[in-house]
Amino acid sequence: MTTAADHLSRSALLFLSRQSNLKDVATRFKPFRELASRFIAGETLEEAVDAVRALSDRGLMASFDHLNEAVRTPEETRDEVRQYQRLLARIDQVGVKANVSMKLTQCGLLFDKGLALQNARAVVADAAARGSFVRVDMEESAVTQATLDIVRELHAEFGEPHVGAVLQSYLRRTEADAKALCAERIRIRLCKGAYLEGPQVAFPDKQDVDDNFVRCMRILLDSGVYHGIATHDERMIDATREHAARNHLPRGAFEFQMLYGIRRDLQEQLIQDGHPVRVYVPYGKHWYPYFMRRLAERPANLWFVMRNLMKG
């Protein structure tokens, strides 16, 4: 059960995630910078590549994500396309087991849906030519339908091996979306969700989010499509493993996915047990909104920062 204090902390942190002007103030404090470095692989592509090399040495796959929620003009969207094309080329050069994750707001979705499709298509076409894969990230519920519309268009052109979607179990619509996308053989990353949403579109209680996660996970695993189950919650992991075992699914029929810097012990245990594990590796100068949403998922991290600030 979500407590009132947890809900208040999460709401406050999600509000702060939208105040990008606070980044410069926050990063003056060493504890904040240190905590951020646990979740962010760096501000440059090469820093992220180094982080993925280290993951690869531990037997982990990766999904690069260039963080930028400040895209406002068509030229800025084209800069994002070029960043992802450089990233795909670098993955080939380094030879690590990695793909990319991309938000459609980086492609212009908030001001020109046609431009967003054009830009996303350029990235997916590059990935397909390289035999790689692009995960189209999910964002706030206001763009959920538009995001899925574009994923469907890209999937129709490039197919199952080269583009996929993300669904969030805190949204009430997600079970229906999971059934529809699986019927179309679109690969899904299932996560819980980390945006501030009203109760009309999202479950306000954690237990309901968890229950929906399990329902959707079962839909995904029963579909015969290769999906990603993205969670650090051991109960969700156990439920996934139990469902897979009960239905005699091989370990390679799906993968677990986790965020960079979280539950390294659990990542390694799953690898030892024969499960594919992919780590989501975010990098870039515009990391502040992403980082604040990670704090909102686990408000105890905020108290770590506050305790260290009080110590001077």
Side-chain angles (χ1 to χ4, degrees):
M1 182 72 69
T2 304
T3 68
D6 286 342
H7 182 74
L8 181 61
S9 297
R10 184 171 187 271
S11 296
L13 289 166
L14 288 173
F15 171 78
L16 291 172
S17 75
R18 298 173 174 174
Q19 315 307 310
S20 295
N21 57 309
L22 296 178
K23 174 188 172 184
D24 291 340
V25 175
T27 51
R28 294 174 190 168
F29 300 100
K30 184 178 178 181
F32 188 92
R33 294 197 306 273
E34 289 178 347
L35 184 57
S37 68
R38 286 178 48 190
F39 299 97
I40 311 300
E43 294 198 350
T44 69
L45 187 155
E46 289 308 314
E47 288 174 318
V49 168
D50 288 343
V52 169
R53 280 197 184 104
L55 293 171
S56 182
D57 289 343
R58 293 166 44 212
L60 296 158
M61 301 179 292
S63 185
F64 287 90
D65 177 26
H66 181 240
L67 300 173
N68 190 356
E69 300 181 22
V71 177
R72 297 289 182 269
T73 68
E75 182 53 37
E76 288 173 338
T77 70
R78 287 187 280 272
D79 287 342
E80 289 299 303
V81 170
R82 288 188 285 268
Q83 176 73 212
Y84 274 97
Q85 289 172 332
R86 286 194 294 271
L87 181 51
L88 287 163
R90 199 74 181 92
I91 290 170
D92 275 359
Q93 291 166 0
V94 176
V96 290
K97 292 183 178 179
N99 56 37
V100 300
S101 294
M102 179 178 66
K103 292 178 174 61
L104 291 181
T105 53
Q106 293 170 263
C107 295
L109 183 61
L110 293 181
F111 54 88
D112 188 336
K113 184 176 177 180
L115 176 64
L117 174 59
Q118 175 186 332
N119 284 328
R121 186 191 179 281
V123 176
V124 177
D126 195 321
R130 297 177 182 279
S132 191
F133 178 82
V134 177
R135 182 78 66 181
V136 177
D137 273 331
M138 190 56 70
E139 303 176 70
E140 293 178 294
S141 64
V143 297
T144 296
Q145 190 59 53
T147 299
L148 294 181
D149 289 345
I150 288 177
V151 169
R152 285 183 163 103
E153 288 197 53
L154 295 170
H155 179 266
E157 181 174 359
F158 295 102
E160 183 179 334
H162 301 301
V163 65
V166 176
L167 294 180
Q168 302 162 318
S169 72
Y170 75 156
L171 294 183
R172 296 181 183 275
R173 62 175 287 170
T174 293
E175 183 176 359
D177 285 333
K179 291 176 180 176
L181 293 174
C182 285
E184 299 170 55
R185 296 194 63 83
I186 294 176
R187 290 167 58 178
I188 297 166
R189 173 203 290 147
L190 177 66
C191 64
K192 291 189 180 181
Y195 290 87
L196 185 61
E197 304 283 2
Q200 69 277 13
V201 297
F203 297 108
D205 191 88
K206 182 180 183 299
Q207 187 59 55
D208 291 330
V209 175
D210 289 351
D211 291 345
N212 199 39
F213 188 99
V214 172
R215 285 194 299 272
C216 293
M217 171 273 292
R218 291 171 177 165
I219 292 167
L220 267 57
L221 264 58
D222 292 345
S223 70
V225 179
Y226 186 82
H227 297 295
I229 307 301
T231 182
H232 312 97
D233 187 331
E234 293 187 50
R235 294 168 305 141
M236 301 298 101
I237 291 171
D238 289 344
T240 302
R241 297 177 73 171
E242 289 165 7
H243 186 77
R246 189 162 51 247
N247 290 276
H248 308 291
L249 294 176
R251 297 284 167 92
F254 63 95
E255 64 185 40
F256 284 108
Q257 297 186 359
M258 297 188 185
L259 298 173
Y260 181 76
I262 301 180
R263 294 305 308 267
R264 176 171 171 165
D265 59 329
L266 193 51
Q267 296 168 14
E268 294 187 348
Q269 183 60 57
L270 289 169
I271 287 288
Q272 289 173 14
D273 291 344
H275 292 284
V277 179
R278 188 178 304 274
V279 176
Y280 181 91
V281 180
Y283 75 98
K285 295 180 180 179
H286 301 280
W287 51 263
Y288 174 84
Y290 169 88
F291 171 64
M292 295 302 290
R293 289 197 297 273
R294 298 291 77 78
L295 285 185
E297 290 176 342
R298 185 172 170 76
N301 286 323
L302 177 63
W303 309 127
F304 167 84
V305 174
M306 296 303 294
R307 283 195 305 271
N308 281 275
L309 286 177
M310 288 187 287
K311 291 177 183 176

